[in-house]
Amino acid sequence: ETESDGAAFDSGETSNGYCYAYTPVLPETDADGNSIQLADGVELPMIYVLIGKQQLMVTSNSISYLTCNENGRNWKTATCESAIEVTSADTEWGTSDTESWYVARGTITISGRVTVKGTVHLILEDSCNLTVDGGIDVSDGTGEITIYAQSEGSKVGCLTAKATADSYAGIGSGLDMENSGKIIINGGYIISSTTTERSVAAAIGGREIYCGDVVINGGMVKATSGGGGAGIGNGFESMPTSEMVVIIN
């Protein structure tokens, strides 16, 4: 059984970009004629499939994460009903002018830069280890990201973002010298760096021009610039302005 926000799936362009929800239905018997029954209290999860960009929705009814208010207070555990699972083939997270949820599970290494589009929420599951060799592009006007963890203990998920080109921030501005978009860290062990001595960008924030808002509400953050940029803030020879906001709650 399926339900969707788009037309009936036909494997063509008309289905691209839509999310299809499938309700699993078990047959009454297996191939040998044996009866198939679910145990008491067991429910089959909804299966969500996002058509396009080779991404699958997580087959889970709830994914927990820690969140807080805008002042970094009133922490609570919230749940996300479905999210796109991060894979090693990712080059983009999100869609322009759209809110998207992602979850990182296990050990994932992405060999390249990931571009954030729209409003992206990234949940680091406990014990996950996500490495982005190339860094994460968050540009003002086109993308913003909020990073969450599931716990604060020894199993907290880890994100390592390494900018390997001179002009890129670890998390933030890219090659086109745009301002960085809003970056919120609510949890996780976040390691962000620029890895070249000639780097002109911050580890988290802007390049040679201005840094967008950076808000750190929780988690552990290690930000290291290999060149002339700040750990968190602006890049090389940029000037701070009243519009630049870096908040550590």
Side-chain angles (χ1 to χ4, degrees):
E1 297 180 7
T2 66
E3 57 182 81
S4 172
D5 56 357
F9 176 66
D10 63 0
S11 73
E13 284 295 323
T14 56
S15 298
N16 189 53
Y18 286 106
C19 178
Y20 291 82
Y22 293 83
T23 302
V25 177
L26 288 178
E28 294 182 358
T29 61
D30 63 17
D32 298 322
N34 299 311
S35 177
I36 299 177
Q37 295 182 347
L38 287 175
D40 291 341
V42 175
E43 295 183 1
L44 294 175
M46 292 290 292
I47 300 173
Y48 298 89
V49 180
L50 179 65
I51 305 302
K53 301 181 183 179
Q54 300 180 344
Q55 294 171 325
L56 298 179
M57 299 296 284
V58 172
T59 58
S60 173
N61 286 332
S62 62
I63 304 165
S64 65
Y65 62 95
L66 296 176
T67 189
C68 62
N69 64 18
E70 61 183 7
N71 298 315
R73 299 178 180 177
N74 299 330
W75 286 90
K76 64 179 181 179
T77 298
T79 57
C80 171
E81 292 304 316
S82 61
I84 300 169
E85 188 164 347
V86 174
T87 74
S88 60
D90 288 355
T91 58
E92 293 181 355
W93 291 336
T95 304
S96 297
D97 302 318
T98 302
E99 191 167 0
S100 306
W101 286 82
Y102 286 76
V103 60
R105 288 176 161 167
T107 299
I108 313 119
T109 299
I110 300 174
S111 300
R113 193 164 179 84
V114 173
T115 299
V116 169
K117 294 186 176 181
T119 301
V120 168
H121 303 269
L122 173 64
I123 301 172
L124 303 175
E125 277 203 347
D126 282 347
S127 301
C128 85
N129 193 342
L130 170 60
T131 300
V132 185
D133 282 328
I136 301 171
D137 198 307
V138 186
S139 299
D140 183 38
T142 60
E144 61 180 77
I145 188 169
T146 302
I147 302 169
Y148 307 89
Q150 290 188 314
S151 71
E152 298 178 300
S154 59
K155 293 183 178 181
V156 67
C158 179
L159 165 64
T160 301
K162 299 183 289 185
T164 54
D166 292 345
S167 301
Y168 292 136
I171 304 175
S173 295
L175 186 60
D176 293 331
M177 294 184 66
E178 67 278 349
N179 294 342
S180 56
K182 190 170 187 177
I183 300 165
I184 302 174
I185 298 173
N186 282 341
Y189 184 21
I190 313 300
I191 304 170
S192 184
S193 63
T194 58
T195 60
T196 67
E197 293 182 357
R198 297 179 57 188
S199 175
V200 295
I204 300 176
R207 188 191 165 192
E208 292 176 78
I209 49 177
Y210 304 124
C211 166
D213 293 354
V214 177
V215 181
I216 301 174
N217 291 317
M220 298 172 287
V221 179
K222 181 179 181 181
T224 306
S225 174
I232 302 174
N234 285 335
F236 179 65
E237 291 187 344
S238 61
M239 295 296 293
T241 72
S242 59
E243 297 179 356
M244 183 184 108
V245 177
V246 176
I247 299 173
I248 300 176
N249 288 316

